[in-house]
Amino acid sequence: MKYRLLSLISLLLPALSFAQEESTSEKIDAVFSKYTSWFVDAIFYEIPFSDQFQIPWVLIVLVGGALYFTIYFKLINFTGFWTAIKVVRGKYEDIEKHGVDHLYGDEAEEHDLPDTIRDESAHGEVSHFQALTAALSATVGLGNIAGVAVALSIGGPGATFWMMLAGLLGMASKFAECTLGVKYRDVGEDGTVYGGPMYYLTKGLKEKNAKGLGKVLAVLFAIFVIGGSFGGGNMFQANQAAAQFVELSGIENDNAGLYFGIVMAVLVAIVIIGGIKRIASVTEKIVPFMAGIYVLAALIILGANFSSIDDAFGLIFEGAFSGLGIAGGLIGVMIQGIRRGAFSNEAGVGSAAIAHSAVRTKYPASEGIVALLEPFVDTVVICTMTALVIIITNYEAGFLQYGTEITEGVEITATAFDTVIPHFSVVLTIAVILFAFSTMISWSYYGMQGWMYLFGKSKRSDLAYKILFLFFVVVGASISLGSVIDFSDAMIFAMVVPNIIGVILLTPVVRKELRKYMNAINKKEDALDDGAEDLVDKM
């Protein structure tokens, strides 16, 4: 094992040496852009509906899917919200582990419980809360800090409205894909869980007599999730963490980003070697802590500028429907908001289904319901707070210039926070690094699942992927934001296409699982004599 590790590292050293000898990030950036620009152009090809009305085809797939799921599941985005809170708090943990027979004891037969909710052992590696934090660690991060700044710098305040809408609609997409992730997961002999779109596309569509289509979609998704783990889940995180660290420390060395990337790669390696259990144990501590600090700081700033909040919302709604000064007008604002919102919460992308598939439960829909909280927390709450802080602190000063080239992301947010909380950029730098770190370790797990689906579940395959992942940490920290964010967006959105197609075809399965879980909840409420409502009839 040590020999193979040294061999793989020796293959990567020439690339690192190249970066040092050139002593400039521009050449690395040029090479990277040259070989990825074609893919970016293909994913974001705009369908011309008129001379001034063009929409990227992949956004039509994403938003169309989210609208379909919202309508098909009868506004599960809203009707399932409080149930999700109860599940995370553990109210229904007993029936998820053991079914509902134990609530009745010897009288189970008298209640005529269906076989679908009788006692079975629950597979899985992590709890609902751990799965939620592991998935949130991949979504709550620099997309909320740097991504919002990018959206506002291009689309203006109005982009915030479309980010919020993307979050609300995305709740239904997240529910559907994560339910399927648990439903069709594989459980190894050692208890290790393998799940995600690769598995529900293959197994689920096979049940629908579409085995060939399922296999093609699964392979495409596996390829794209590997690319996404190298891009948005890795390079973008490393790039922005390095940018904020170098900015704060005042380091002027051309290779500062490279050195930062090497250190970050070592730290990531320590965690990802331990697998999903190690990742979950780390993220369940980091995510609530760093999110709490960031949200508290945002609340302090909004509290200090309370009288300006209504004006900020006025600018958001005015810009959302006027598109004043934006290239492409209203459509330009909409595209930027939805694009950044989807990048932040990943609803419809299918990535979160991988993390949620590892949960301990016998009811797939229970985790789907928990998962719908993610877009709400990530986009509707945290992204909106970030946007309000940036708008309030910068808009009147004319700092937001519409349609500008993307050269900064996290730096804009840091400047906004510093205007009210002096030297908060120091705290933000720590938060950014922790956000980036937690996102990278979660996305390494996502990419690993795709890699193992394609190349087999072996230690050699595992090692090869992790070495590549760590290499891209270093590359991401060394090149420009523009190239990184274009490639990251393209890979994330490429995952949408095979995933949405498969989930739409499998929506009847999701509805069946939802009814099964709500039946179990009602049985428990009945057993405890709590006066349960007949939720099943509403599904």
Side-chain angles (χ1 to χ4, degrees):
M1 178 63 72
K2 290 182 179 179
Y3 174 76
R4 291 199 300 269
L5 179 60
L6 290 173
S7 298
L8 285 167
I9 292 175
S10 66
L11 293 174
L12 299 177
L13 284 177
L16 297 179
S17 299
F18 165 77
Q20 284 186 297
E21 289 168 7
E22 295 294 334
S23 70
T24 176
S25 295
E26 281 76 9
K27 291 188 177 181
I28 303 176
D29 187 54
V31 172
F32 183 78
S33 298
K34 177 181 178 181
Y35 289 103
T36 60
S37 59
W38 67 271
F39 184 74
V40 175
D41 293 340
I43 293 299
F44 291 110
Y45 174 77
E46 296 183 340
I47 299 176
F49 291 92
S50 69
D51 292 340
Q52 296 182 336
F53 185 45
Q54 301 173 330
I55 301 179
W57 67 273
V58 72
L59 288 187
I60 297 175
V61 174
L62 181 69
V63 176
L67 282 170
Y68 174 77
F69 299 137
T70 298
I71 296 169
Y72 187 89
F73 295 114
K74 299 182 180 179
L75 303 179
I76 188 69
N77 336 35
F78 309 103
T79 59
F81 190 85
W82 293 114
T83 302
I85 299 294
K86 293 177 182 178
V87 175
V88 172
R89 292 177 61 187
K91 181 174 182 180
Y92 307 120
E93 187 175 0
D94 50 354
I95 63 171
E96 289 163 17
K97 287 183 178 180
H98 309 295
V100 294
D101 278 14
H102 72 287
L103 297 172
Y104 292 93
D106 295 334
E107 300 177 356
E109 294 297 334
E110 296 178 14
H111 291 271
D112 192 26
L113 300 182
D115 292 337
T116 54
I117 60 175
R118 288 192 176 279
D119 183 58
E120 299 173 8
S121 59
H123 295 294
E125 299 183 84
V126 296
S127 67
H128 282 299
F129 181 73
Q130 286 179 319
L132 179 64
T133 55
L136 274 172
S137 70
T139 55
V140 176
L142 291 178
N144 307 85
I145 301 174
V148 172
V150 169
L152 294 179
S153 68
I154 300 176
T160 307
F161 173 84
W162 298 106
M163 278 193 290
M164 293 169 62
L165 184 62
L168 290 172
L169 292 177
M171 293 168 71
S173 300
K174 192 82 78 150
F175 159 74
E177 62 193 7
C178 290
T179 297
L180 292 172
V182 178
K183 168 72 174 176
Y184 292 106
R185 64 187 176 181
D186 278 351
V187 182
E189 293 181 0
D190 60 352
T192 301
V193 174
Y194 303 95
M198 302 82 67
Y199 296 90
Y200 61 69
L201 290 172
T202 304
K203 295 180 178 180
L205 293 181
K206 183 179 179 180
E207 293 177 357
K208 296 284 185 180
N209 296 319
K211 181 180 178 181
L213 175 63
K215 190 69 175 178
V216 171
L217 293 177
V219 170
L220 283 174
F221 183 87
I223 293 171
F224 294 147
V225 77
I226 293 169
S229 74
F230 293 154
N234 183 336
M235 295 172 66
F236 176 72
Q237 311 299 322
N239 179 279
Q240 289 296 277
Q244 181 62 15
F245 178 79
V246 171
E247 176 82 11
L248 182 68
S249 61
I251 298 174
E252 298 181 358
N253 189 304
D254 289 340
N255 286 324
L258 173 67
Y259 299 141
F260 179 89
I262 292 173
V263 174
M264 180 67 87
V266 171
L267 295 175
V268 171
I270 293 172
V271 177
I272 66 175
I273 291 172
I276 185 60
K277 290 183 180 178
R278 174 80 63 83
I279 292 170
S281 67
V282 172
T283 56
E284 74 172 336
K285 298 177 180 66
I286 291 179
V287 174
F289 173 73
M290 65 188 181
I293 290 178
Y294 184 75
V295 170
L296 178 62
L299 287 173
I300 291 173
I301 293 175
L302 295 177
N305 295 274
F306 182 76
S307 60
S308 300
I309 293 178
D310 57 341
D311 293 332
F313 272 113
L315 291 170
I316 288 171
F317 287 109
E318 179 185 357
F321 298 101
S322 68
L324 183 63
I326 311 294
L330 170 62
I331 300 302
V333 181
M334 186 187 303
I335 289 172
Q336 287 305 320
I338 294 174
R339 180 170 169 175
R340 296 266 56 83
F343 180 85
S344 180
N345 62 50
E346 299 169 18
V349 172
S351 53
I354 299 173
H356 284 282
S357 65
V359 75
R360 283 188 300 270
T361 184
K362 64 187 290 288
Y363 295 104
S366 69
E367 193 59 20
I369 287 175
V370 168
L372 64 80
L373 293 174
E374 285 175 37
F376 182 83
V377 173
D378 176 274
T379 310
V380 179
V381 177
I382 300 180
C383 281
T384 302
M385 292 176 70
T386 301
L388 288 173
V389 169
I390 294 174
I391 293 169
I392 289 172
T393 56
N394 292 303
Y395 187 76
E396 291 183 0
F399 183 73
L400 295 177
Q401 298 297 320
Y402 300 156
T404 56
E405 181 183 356
I406 306 172
T407 57
E408 293 184 328
V410 68
E411 297 95 329
I412 295 175
T413 307
T415 301
F417 274 78
D418 269 348
T419 58
V420 178
I421 307 176
H423 307 298
F424 183 77
S425 55
V426 176
V427 178
L428 186 63
T429 300
I430 297 173
V432 163
I433 293 173
L434 288 176
F435 271 126
F437 181 72
S438 64
T439 300
M440 285 191 284
I441 62 178
S442 290
W443 264 95
S444 72
Y445 178 70
Y446 294 171
M448 170 63 73
Q449 294 295 301
W451 185 273
M452 287 189 167
Y453 180 82
L454 293 176
F455 302 110
K457 302 164 186 174
S458 67
K459 291 184 178 180
R460 181 175 296 180
S461 175
D462 181 288
L463 180 61
Y465 171 79
K466 288 176 179 175
I467 292 294
L468 278 173
F469 186 86
L470 297 173
F471 169 68
F472 278 102
V473 174
V474 180
V475 173
S478 305
I479 63 179
S480 73
L481 173 60
S483 296
V484 168
I485 204 165
D486 286 342
F487 175 73
S488 299
D489 280 359
M491 277 298 179
I492 295 294
F493 279 93
M495 295 162 61
V496 167
V497 182
N499 183 57
I500 289 293
I501 292 173
V503 176
I504 287 176
L505 294 174
L506 293 171
T507 44
V509 177
V510 178
R511 182 166 59 182
K512 180 180 178 181
E513 290 298 328
L514 177 60
R515 290 178 62 87
K516 186 189 301 184
Y517 183 55
M518 299 313 293
N519 258 316
I521 288 178
N522 285 338
K523 290 293 184 180
K524 173 178 178 175
E525 298 287 4
D526 180 58
L528 299 178
D529 205 22
D530 283 343
E533 297 179 3
D534 189 10
L535 297 176
V536 179
D537 290 340
K538 298 180 181 179
M539 297 302 142

